[in-house]
Amino acid sequence: MATNRTFTMLKPDAIENGHMGKIIDMIINAGFSIKAMKYTQLSEAQAKEFYAVHAERPFYGELVEYMTSGPIVAAILEKENAVADFRALIGATDPAEAADGTIRKAYAESKGRNAVHGSDSDENAAIEGVFHFAANEIF
Ligand code: UDP
Ligand code: MG
């Protein structure tokens, strides 16, 4: 079932490089409203679980290390067609392939350290939102 919500994280490189405010501004300017938001740091167990689908990939260990290396901003966003529209706003995984005007084109360092996460389906958006937020933190 299509929903109008997606889940995002501003990843440790984005925070470290001072891009938090500018990225949140791009998200709001693109028409998303913030339904939940927190500034936090993932534990190793949380990062491993969040990215469990990639457990067999060669970059998994590095990904977990990177995602636990500093604070992140986690958020649930709402907009019509949220999942697809947010993937379009963030751009391709590798910033070298990301279109002009996308968040990753502007702020990602590399394919690994790529500034922002966006859910890839409505189902995963719901799972990822609940992973990070309690019911009374979602508005
Ligand atoms: N990643 C990586 N190397 C790769 C592919 C992915 O380090 O070759 C990292 C990168 O941080 C990416 C995350 O793993 O955002 C999840 O990969 P996915 O293919 O789901 O990309 P996304 O959905 O984030 O665009
Ligand atoms: Mg993905």
Side-chain angles (χ1 to χ4, degrees), residues 26-132:
M26 282 178 81
I27 292 170
I28 291 170
N29 286 338
F32 293 88
S33 59
I34 292 167
K35 294 295 165 182
M37 179 169 270
K38 71 170 64 157
Y39 191 40
T40 186
Q41 184 161 1
L42 297 179
S43 68
E44 189 180 332
Q46 282 178 309
K48 281 182 168 166
E49 187 181 341
F50 189 88
Y51 284 110
V53 66
H54 296 303
E56 303 308 319
R57 310 281 292 277
F59 58 82
Y60 183 64
E62 205 175 316
L63 176 60
V64 169
E65 197 177 319
Y66 153 61
M67 287 302 299
T68 56
S69 67
I72 61 155
V73 172
I76 295 173
L77 306 173
E78 186 170 86
K79 182 186 184 296
E80 203 179 304
N81 201 33
V83 166
D85 284 5
F86 193 69
R87 293 291 302 199
L89 177 65
I90 69 178
T93 307
D94 185 344
E97 293 164 14
D100 285 344
T102 62
I103 293 172
R104 282 170 167 167
K105 175 75 173 189
Y107 298 120
E109 288 181 15
S110 65
K111 188 172 185 180
R113 296 170 60 88
N114 59 4
V116 62
H117 167 81
S119 305
D120 61 8
S121 66
D122 291 325
E123 187 191 1
N124 284 336
I127 291 168
E128 293 169 1
V130 167
F131 182 85
H132 285 271

